[in-house]
Amino acid sequence: MIQNTTNVEIPPKAIEGAAKQSRLSFGLAVTAMASHDDRIVVISADTLDLIGLRSFKDRFPNRLIEVGIAEQTAMGVASGLATVGLRPFVCGYAPFITARSMEQLRNDIAYANQRVVIGAAASGVSLGVAGGTHHAVEDLALMRSLPNMTVLVPADAHQAWHATKATSGISGPVYIRLGGRIEEPPVTEQENAFQVGKAQLVREGTDITIIACGCMVAPALTAAEGLKIRGVSARVLNVHTIKPLDATAILSSASETRKIVTAEEHRVTGGLGGAVAELLSQHLPTPMRLVGMPDKFAIVGPTDKVREHYHMDANGISQACLDLME
């Protein structure tokens, strides 16, 4: 069950020192929440530095459990702690906390409808040089297929703070998709309200709608600015909640602009694009293009080069929009 929660608390100045990275913002938010709620505990799968949990460990040493590289164990521990009334936050690498522990995540967390928050850092191809084993480009498909699961994809460090705080109003499991050790340009204001399941209109437009999530919101805005020069008015929706999806905002945009392009650092099957296509096919068939990873394992290389290779950037989004406008 999701309460109608709108979080307008301004993040601390420490967010500005989080190197513009959602993974560190998540850690700061969990630490702040723990100072007001002694039920909050953290289960780390070798992520003290990845998530920025050193401060949490220093302040609440008895409320942090380090399981190491044992994601299946992390899920079992979290489920047990939730059963006795605690508020577990599981912190892991996105490619491993999802795929490696899928059985435990499905049965111990989702099936049991446990109140567990999963912070999954290094999503997409943010670990580009580490290769296919470390790329998380199917995690959204896995997570949104699970009943009871809420799936959040904040667009920047500011929104990661608000999304993490908003989990206090969710009674079931939550998956929060976070970035890696690369800068995420801010696209939201510190004081922006955040409501689970409510998409954020970040740019008005009348000719086409770009629906983006996570790290693809910034290039979507860049693409929209470039399209303006070519006479195309592009609306941009930041769909930070993949599940539950904001059907009202998406159907309204489809009706008003008549063309949709989705953009995500994820496979085009099963993620944001798939969710939007499923919705529109049933209620308002609309011409679409999907920007994301094709049906293959990604090349190995620097993150920006991998993104460029698969057109998961502003140029790729622009081209998809222009193709649809023809």
Side-chain angles (χ1 to χ4, degrees), residues 91-132:
C91 302
Y93 284 78
F96 311 131
I97 204 67
T98 54
R100 180 179 291 158
S101 64
M102 188 59 183
E103 180 184 353
Q104 290 76 17
L105 206 161
R106 175 184 181 272
N107 297 338
D108 298 347
I109 304 297
Y111 184 56
N113 198 23
Q114 297 285 30
R115 195 171 185 175
V116 172
V117 177
I118 302 163
S123 64
V125 294
S126 59
L127 292 178
V129 296

Side-chain angles (χ1 to χ4, degrees), residues 211-230:
I211 298 176
C213 67
C215 66
M216 293 297 283
V217 176
L221 287 168
T222 301
E225 190 61 30
L227 288 167
K228 181 180 178 181
I229 299 173
R230 306 186 67 160

Side-chain angles (χ1 to χ4, degrees), residues 132-155:
T133 58
H134 286 59
H135 299 163
V137 288
E138 58 281 306
D139 57 318
L140 294 180
L142 292 172
M143 293 303 101
R144 81 176 187 90
S145 71
L146 295 174
N148 299 322
M149 185 68 70
T150 296
V151 182
L152 305 178
V153 189

Side-chain angles (χ1 to χ4, degrees), residues 34-120:
S35 66
H36 302 292
D37 187 346
D38 59 11
R39 297 172 301 169
I40 290 178
V41 293
V42 166
I43 300 97
S44 166
D46 193 28
T47 55
L48 290 183
D49 294 316
L50 177 71
I51 304 289
L53 296 172
R54 296 289 178 181
S55 177
F56 186 99
K57 181 180 180 181
D58 292 341
R59 295 179 61 183
F60 314 109
N62 296 326
R63 292 157 61 185
L64 186 143
I65 301 171
E66 175 60 76
V67 299
I69 307 174
E71 286 79 7
Q72 300 99 320
T73 299
M75 291 300 168
V77 170
S79 180
L81 294 174
T83 298
V84 297
L86 296 177
R87 296 293 315 279
F89 282 74
V90 178
C91 302
Y93 284 78
F96 311 131
I97 204 67
T98 54
R100 180 179 291 158
S101 64
M102 188 59 183
E103 180 184 353
Q104 290 76 17
L105 206 161
R106 175 184 181 272
N107 297 338
D108 298 347
I109 304 297
Y111 184 56
N113 198 23
Q114 297 285 30
R115 195 171 185 175
V116 172
V117 177
I118 302 163

Side-chain angles (χ1 to χ4, degrees), residues 66-284:
E66 175 60 76
V67 299
I69 307 174
E71 286 79 7
Q72 300 99 320
T73 299
M75 291 300 168
V77 170
S79 180
L81 294 174
T83 298
V84 297
L86 296 177
R87 296 293 315 279
F89 282 74
V90 178
C91 302
Y93 284 78
F96 311 131
I97 204 67
T98 54
R100 180 179 291 158
S101 64
M102 188 59 183
E103 180 184 353
Q104 290 76 17
L105 206 161
R106 175 184 181 272
N107 297 338
D108 298 347
I109 304 297
Y111 184 56
N113 198 23
Q114 297 285 30
R115 195 171 185 175
V116 172
V117 177
I118 302 163
S123 64
V125 294
S126 59
L127 292 178
V129 296
T133 58
H134 286 59
H135 299 163
V137 288
E138 58 281 306
D139 57 318
L140 294 180
L142 292 172
M143 293 303 101
R144 81 176 187 90
S145 71
L146 295 174
N148 299 322
M149 185 68 70
T150 296
V151 182
L152 305 178
V153 189
D156 58 18
H158 297 155
Q159 197 157 73
W161 165 275
H162 290 301
T164 306
K165 300 278 283 188
T167 62
S168 62
I170 303 176
S171 60
V174 182
Y175 180 76
I176 304 183
R177 194 183 207 233
L178 305 165
R181 291 185 172 91
I182 52 177
E183 184 175 294
E184 298 158 77
V187 293
T188 66
E189 299 296 330
Q190 282 194 7
E191 65 275 13
N192 273 172
F194 181 92
Q195 186 174 334
V196 174
K198 182 69 173 178
Q200 179 186 22
L201 177 64
V202 290
R203 185 185 176 102
E204 296 281 1
T206 56
D207 295 329
I208 195 167
T209 298
I210 304 170
I211 298 176
C213 67
C215 66
M216 293 297 283
V217 176
L221 287 168
T222 301
E225 190 61 30
L227 288 167
K228 181 180 178 181
I229 299 173
R230 306 186 67 160
V232 178
S233 175
R235 178 180 305 185
V236 179
L237 278 182
N238 169 18
V239 179
H240 52 66
T241 306
I242 306 298
K243 184 181 180 181
L245 196 66
D246 189 347
T248 299
I250 293 170
L251 291 172
S252 177
S253 289
S255 174
E256 293 167 8
T257 68
R258 303 165 301 283
K259 299 175 183 64
I260 297 289
V261 169
T262 59
E264 60 195 311
E265 193 166 290
H266 184 275
R267 297 200 198 287
V268 292
T269 50
L272 172 64
V276 173
E278 291 165 14
L279 173 70
L280 294 179
S281 67
Q282 295 179 76
H283 300 284
L284 186 64

